[in-house]
Amino acid sequence: MAGPNDDVGVRPVSAYAKHNFEHMLARAEGYTVLCAQKGERMSRAALPIDETERLALLYALDLLDTPAEPTFDRITRLLAHALRVPIALVSLVDAQRQWFKSRVGLTATETAREFSFCAHAILQGNAMIVGDATKDARFADNPLVTGQPFIRFYAGIPIRTSDGTALGTLCAIDSRPRTLTQDELDTLSDLAALVSQEIGQRETALLTRRQIERAKNAEESEARFRSSFERASVGIAMVAPNGGLMNVNDAFCEIVGYSHEELARLTFQDITHPEDLDKDLNFLQQLVSGDVDHYELEKRYLRKNGETVWISLCVAKQVESNGTWQYFVAIVQNIQARKKAEASLAALRRNLEERVDERTRELRAANEMLSYSMAQQVRFQQALVKREAELSAVIENANDAYVCIDEAGVVSAWNRQAQEIFGWSAAEAIGCLLDELIIPPAMRKAHRAGMKRYLNSGQTTVLNQRLELSAMRRDGTTLPVEVRIGALELDGQKIFSAFLHDISERKRSELAMEREARHDSLTGLPNRRTLFEMLPQALARSDRNHTAVVLFFLDLDGFKAVNDAWGHEAGDGLLVEIARRLSDCVRKTDSVARLAGDEFTVLLEGLCLEARDEAIGIAEKILASIKLPIQIGTESVQISASIGIAFRLPGTVMSPDQLVKVADTAMYEAKRAGKSTICVQ
């Protein structure tokens, strides 16, 4: 009978080792900083030469962040049992992480790519075997080797697609050095082939679905966009290779202030602001050479009256089926030109009818005019068909989502960008209610009420306006979008069309800028500006709740000596640690801020009116925490602080500036009293 330590079956991971492994994963980012401070360098895997294509295929297969599946779980369980290892994983290597599609002996679902053994394994032709990681230069200083769970043995084989692209690995991990027999290596290879075969089947299914969708959508797309050119709420231009404006819509004319005839004699270079022309031409050259398939930029146009107008431009090539191209398609955002376009189209049709009538009357006098009249009509029809075909290409290449609905809110048009943004294909979206596809549940009632009010009374606050709203993706997540909606009546029925632009990145940038303006970049604490925004609110709460406000003003003792001895990088690390200790010493309702250099403040609220002893006790707790040794590299240092305390009772006439000044003065008294002490004003 085998004993408890005999090498039979899968060896379980202890609860302590599993806890420490997950703890090391969570501290991976902190380890990178520590290595940089010590001057150490970990060996990180190079990126595969097909990294961009590899990631695109990985995302398209929709395997990341999906629930566990028995197909993969059976393979990892079999691998763990066959190789007698505590950990077995199906690992997919993402851009910044490795994510575990299946796992045995591990609860964590992912880890940083920079610490991943699998990131090295996908570069191999076949198996990557690490018998003892402590003796391998690539992994000897890896935190998962030097610390829990003390990885020693690793064996991984790339998981490949049908064209040989490595998406991840099937790997086995042990906490002791070992080797594999040929039978064990063959087992690992066979199981990896099963994983690759399963992914290959999904790849084939993906390609099949895409081909079916393209075939179904081709005919619908052409009919759907034939009449959209003149109704577009954006400016559109067909541009010749030399820059000549072959054809433009009325929205484009409205932007630049020129007529169609005037623009026919101009080039886009003529109406582009001189300061923006070089950038536009540079992008255009990349489009011509095939380096990009389209480009976007913001630039200025020169209007006919001499004024400038800013526009957002998207340019693509009109490519024929044989691969050649004839002209550029330019889309200018935020211009509503539907009514003019339709008026132009109606005038064209009336003109055509008048010409036909005129030619018919003339035919009564001369039969020879019949051929001419019929030829003229054919030419007009051909021009209309060509224009509709051009518009279909323009809308399909638009960089904004285009959606069209009827009076009942049923979707009748849904372009490629709408599919990419919201996750619904055109085949799935067309015929469905718009509010059930992209309008968040909380906004649906207001949307339906607004539609009903407009249809009954013609009153609206949203049409022909640039609005910022929340929209919903297929997976239920929301995103901010900029929307412009237009309405048109055809055959007694209202049709609504909208262009939606994803502004998620802009919103994230605005939030990041706001946080940078209000927080200290080193410690993450509120900065001086934020402190002086909080103080008036704290004083108002003090008067309202009849409680005391206490402000500590701290200045570190001996900080300059640390900077002089170990450098500013060490000093920065010390300030970060002090900020952490200060935050740990106070309540969640209190506030810690960094004013500048080594000066900090602590704002205590909600204290009773006789809270002097309580405040001094907190200050003593802070002093004791600061005095604890701080590790800098291989050295341990100790510093202290001088603390000034200012009290403010409810109803006391004292401005935020005065409160800070009193605490600052008390701090200097503490300095003069011998430092590492507390002074109360």
Side-chain angles (χ1 to χ4, degrees), residues 19-30:
H19 167 78
N20 279 279
F21 179 68
E22 294 161 358
H23 180 66
M24 290 298 293
L25 297 181
R27 295 188 58 193
E29 183 176 351

Side-chain angles (χ1 to χ4, degrees), residues 23 72 149 191 194 216 276 301 360 364 443 455 524 543 564 602 633:
H23 180 66
F72 297 104
L191 293 177
L194 290 177
K216 290 174 61 180
D276 300 336
Y301 276 153
T360 302
R364 293 171 184 170
M443 299 172 59
L455 293 173
D543 293 337
D564 293 343
V602 179

Side-chain angles (χ1 to χ4, degrees), residues 210-224:
R210 286 183 174 178
Q211 291 175 354
I212 293 173
E213 289 176 358
R214 283 197 294 268
K216 290 174 61 180
N217 293 337
E219 182 177 351
E220 297 174 359
S221 297
E222 179 178 357
R224 187 168 63 248

Side-chain angles (χ1 to χ4, degrees), residues 434-445 447 470-472:
L434 179 69
D435 55 6
E436 295 179 356
L437 293 177
I438 68 173
I439 298 179
M443 299 172 59
R444 291 173 184 171
K445 183 177 180 180
H447 165 75
S470 291
M472 183 176 68

Side-chain angles (χ1 to χ4, degrees), residues 549-553 611-617 619-620 642-648 662-671 673 677-681:
V549 171
V550 179
L551 182 67
F552 294 175
F553 197 113
R612 179 185 179 91
D613 292 340
E614 181 181 355
I616 293 175
E620 290 173 344
S642 298
I643 304 178
I645 304 178
F647 285 86
R648 192 269 190 185
V662 170
D664 188 21
T665 301
M667 183 276 293
Y668 278 106
E669 289 295 331
K671 286 279 189 185
T677 187
I678 302 168
C679 180
V680 182
Q681 287 286 348

Side-chain angles (χ1 to χ4, degrees), residues 17 106 115 121 131 145 150 198 201 272 330 382 411 474 502 518 575 580 599 602 623:
L106 186 63
F115 302 106
V145 175
F150 299 106
E198 176 65 23
Q201 293 173 353
T272 297
Q382 289 175 340
V411 175
R474 180 172 187 165
D502 184 355
R518 295 174 54 84
L575 291 174
R580 185 192 65 78
E599 293 180 345
V602 179
L623 277 184

